[in-house]
Amino acid sequence: MLRVGLTGGLASGKSFAAREFERLGCSVLQADKLGHRILVDDPGAIREVVEEFGPGVLNAEGGIDRKALGAKVFADGARLGRLNAIVHPRVFERLDRFFAEVEAAGAEDSVAMVEAAIMVESGSYRKYQRLVLAACPREMQVSRFVAREGASREEAESRIARQLPLAEKRKLADYVIDTSGSKEHTLRQVRAVYGKLKSEAALSCGKGFDGEK
């Protein structure tokens, strides 16, 4: 099994690429959505978040109000760090289970992929044998996010500023998928990269493959 990380910047097209990787047969887990689920179904995490940020982050049903929580953390790096310290260890536990399940159920040449936005920033990219980056120009990131979320340009710029520039992530990536063109252009690149990953996974079953980064 080959462990692969898929990352990118805000609205860089990584989720679009992930869906195609999954359609092609790759086992894909979206770590960002996993983090969201933890704030829904993990009582311990919910309790720690309320203790850290106050009851104002709860909705009327007693669950975490993500918008209220986001308003507290996204403008404050220290508070965001405290939230990550609560959520990330739980995310990593579930990632380990995901890899174990794929390895137990799949063929030796299977590809297990995790999609996450801040994989490089958190250092978790080191957990993977290969890193794939979805990238597009900054202005395209802004326009996509504004259109998708109904957000302001200022909010988009603020979020991008908190992420490592894509140019820096390129230096660490084994494969880069340029998502600035048509959807079909992106899909062709995904198919090409998946073919290479499958070949590497098959090679890793034999000798002479250095799977670790």
Side-chain angles (χ1 to χ4, degrees):
M1 181 189 74
L2 189 70
R3 301 187 307 275
V4 179
L6 171 63
T7 193
L10 182 76
S12 63
K14 61 186 178 300
S15 294
F16 178 76
R19 288 192 293 272
E20 179 64 6
F21 276 115
E22 188 167 32
R23 189 192 69 79
L24 292 169
C26 186
S27 297
V28 177
L29 182 66
Q30 294 176 300
D32 296 336
K33 289 187 177 180
L34 186 58
H36 298 162
R37 288 202 298 273
I38 285 170
L39 294 180
V40 171
D41 63 19
D42 187 320
I46 295 170
R47 183 179 62 254
E48 289 185 40
V49 168
V50 174
E51 289 174 354
E52 179 66 41
F53 300 101
V57 299
L58 293 174
N59 57 31
E61 291 74 37
I64 297 295
D65 183 328
R66 285 178 49 208
K67 286 190 175 181
L69 179 60
K72 287 180 176 289
V73 304
F74 284 127
D76 186 328
R79 303 199 85 182
L80 179 59
R82 291 197 289 275
L83 175 62
N84 289 340
I86 295 170
V87 174
H88 283 178
R90 293 173 164 91
V91 169
F92 294 147
E93 287 178 5
R94 297 194 187 192
L95 291 182
D96 289 340
R97 289 203 297 271
F98 164 70
F99 286 130
E101 289 167 1
V102 173
E103 189 164 25
E108 289 185 337
D109 64 346
S110 60
V111 177
M113 176 176 286
V114 173
E115 175 204 343
I118 59 169
M119 187 174 287
V120 174
E121 291 88 339
S122 69
S124 64
Y125 74 95
R126 297 185 183 92
K127 294 172 67 71
Y128 309 106
Q129 293 160 292
R130 292 293 177 263
L131 183 65
V132 180
L133 175 69
C136 66
R138 183 187 180 102
E139 184 57 37
M140 187 170 285
Q141 289 181 263
V142 172
S143 62
R144 284 176 175 173
F145 182 77
V146 169
R148 186 183 73 196
E149 304 293 334
S152 67
R153 181 182 182 88
E154 290 71 25
E155 183 179 357
E157 292 281 6
S158 175
R159 292 201 178 197
I160 292 172
R162 290 194 297 272
Q163 296 179 345
L164 190 69
L166 288 176
E168 293 301 311
K169 294 182 180 182
R170 281 178 181 270
K171 297 175 183 178
L172 297 169
D174 298 291
Y175 300 103
V176 177
I177 296 172
D178 176 8
T179 66
S180 63
S182 67
K183 289 183 178 180
E184 181 52 40
H185 181 247
T186 297
L187 294 175
R188 285 198 300 270
Q189 293 174 79
V190 171
R191 290 192 288 267
V193 169
Y194 184 62
K196 293 176 181 177
L197 292 174
K198 284 289 288 183
S199 295
E200 290 193 77
L203 183 60
S204 70
C205 299
K207 296 180 180 180
F209 175 74
D210 179 11
E212 301 300 328
K213 287 185 70 67

